[in-house]
Amino acid sequence: MAPTLTDVARTAGVALSTASRVFSDPDRIGAGTRRRVLAAAQELGYAPRTAEPTAAPVTATVAAVVPDIANPVFSRFVKAAQAQGRQVRSTVVVADTDYDADREREVITGLCPRVDGIVVHSSRLDGAEVLDLCGGTPSVLVNREVPGGDCVIADSTQGLRQVVDHLDALGHRHIAYVQGRSDSWSNLHRVGLVRELAAEYGCELSLLGWHTETTDGGSAAAARVLASGATAAIAHNDLVALGLMAGARALGARVPDDLSVVGSDDIPFSALSEPGLSSIATPMDRAGTLAMEILGRAAAGERTAPRAVRLPTHFVARGTTGPAPARSATALEVTP
């Protein structure tokens, strides 16, 4: 039997009328109670009855909050969201927080009263705090999972498994993982997966971090990667991987002869590097479209329980991965 609103209210520990208002008039309910009810609905798989969809396109303004619009991952996401917005006569405004949690908090607080919906990508804040800041404004969190919120996640599970399987087949027994920032949910998610996979495949793992999620961050990590003795390195994203390649070469190591390198996100520059960067492809185009679709349903008056949508990733092998060398890069006479 499908769960009812009564089941949701009981699980959340609130009155039935309170649970009903969460879906019909959320602004009248406190943030903590609203989040608890939505989390219970998500847990039970409760699907409230929705209003009849409007026949005419919805005109709305949606805010997209990203950490760094200069990063091709986020610009690709925004471009897809804007394209979807044009189809339903919605305007997407963009706010760049520069990876600053205080700035993100300020931006969300200032925008929510003035927009019809908000998408927060790769938040540097606690997920529950983001939902509290959004209040009754329909919201979608991208690459951050939190109970009681609509979330779209590029799930690294499949892509990372393919990477480790690929490196294992090439004879690599010692892998380094170059982390991103410590406040990145995606980084923590991937670290957990890499640890599990290294144990499963019997690989030694050197966990290196934390670094800025840029080419400079990758260059700075190169010496530590080579010093670890790893024959292959997986970077938090493609920018870090490209920087790592440059830094390794500056120290006299050859890619992939001495060190195999794998990135994540498969940005356009990945295929154009020399050699082409092996990378985990993440569906940011689809994430941008899906986030707007979720907000569009909310703007049209549809009542839905929050859910987490996981989009699969996959590995793209290029020229930066090759057979494990007979000796590690640390055995090389590196150029000062």
Side-chain angles (χ1 to χ4, degrees), residues 7-314:
D7 297 327
V8 173
R10 184 182 301 112
T11 300
V14 301
L16 178 59
S17 59
T18 300
S20 177
R21 286 194 189 97
V22 167
F23 292 99
S24 62
D25 193 6
D27 288 333
R28 294 180 58 189
I29 304 299
T33 301
R34 181 173 58 243
R35 189 171 64 249
R36 193 162 72 249
V37 170
L38 292 174
Q42 193 172 33
E43 177 187 345
L44 295 173
Y46 170 69
R49 289 179 297 176
T50 61
E52 289 297 320
T54 56
V58 175
T59 301
T61 299
V62 172
V65 180
V66 298
D68 180 13
I69 195 61
N71 186 319
V73 174
F74 302 124
S75 56
R76 191 173 74 189
F77 171 85
V78 168
K79 190 174 182 64
Q82 289 178 328
Q84 177 65 19
R86 283 194 296 271
Q87 294 187 26
V88 293
R89 291 169 44 205
S90 292
T91 300
V92 177
V93 297
V94 183
D96 185 327
T97 64
D98 199 26
Y99 293 102
D100 187 303
D102 290 334
R103 172 61 179 156
E104 181 181 338
R105 188 179 292 110
E106 177 185 323
V107 165
I108 295 173
T109 302
L111 283 173
C112 278
R114 296 154 39 192
V115 298
D116 302 293
I118 187 167
V119 181
V120 183
H121 197 314
S122 299
S123 175
R124 303 295 139 164
L125 299 172
D126 177 75
E129 182 182 1
V130 175
L131 294 184
D132 287 349
L133 291 172
C134 292
T137 302
S139 62
V140 177
L141 278 66
V142 178
N143 277 359
R144 168 61 68 92
E145 187 170 11
V146 57
D150 280 307
C151 309
V152 178
I153 301 156
D155 191 342
S156 298
T157 304
Q158 182 175 329
L160 272 173
R161 174 171 289 280
Q162 292 171 353
V163 168
V164 176
D165 187 69
H166 174 74
L167 295 175
D168 178 73
L170 292 172
H172 294 277
R173 297 293 175 264
H174 185 177
I175 298 172
Y177 183 80
V178 183
Q179 298 189 67
R181 293 167 55 103
S182 60
D183 56 3
S184 166
W185 181 89
S186 294
N187 178 68
L188 295 176
H189 175 61
R190 292 170 188 168
V191 166
L193 292 172
V194 168
R195 280 178 168 153
E196 292 175 5
L197 289 166
E200 179 181 334
Y201 279 81
C203 297
E204 181 179 353
L205 175 66
S206 293
L207 197 59
L208 308 177
W210 294 278
H211 297 85
T212 59
E213 299 167 7
T214 63
T215 53
D216 287 344
S219 296
R224 292 186 64 193
V225 170
L226 296 179
S228 73
T231 59
I234 304 171
H236 172 74
N237 65 20
D238 285 349
L239 296 180
V240 173
L242 292 169
L244 173 60
M245 289 165 56
R249 286 172 182 147
L251 293 171
R254 298 165 299 169
V255 177
D257 296 0
D258 302 314
L259 178 71
S260 288
V261 176
V262 177
S264 183
D265 295 326
D266 197 28
I267 62 176
F269 302 136
S270 300
L272 300 177
S273 67
E274 183 55 44
L277 176 63
S278 296
S279 183
I280 300 171
T282 56
M284 280 301 103
D285 295 342
R286 177 58 183 150
T289 301
L290 185 56
M292 290 296 294
E293 289 176 351
I294 293 171
L295 290 179
R297 289 194 291 270
E302 295 187 28
R303 297 164 52 197
T304 60
R307 62 192 181 114
V309 180
R310 290 175 174 80
L311 303 177
T313 58
H314 66 276

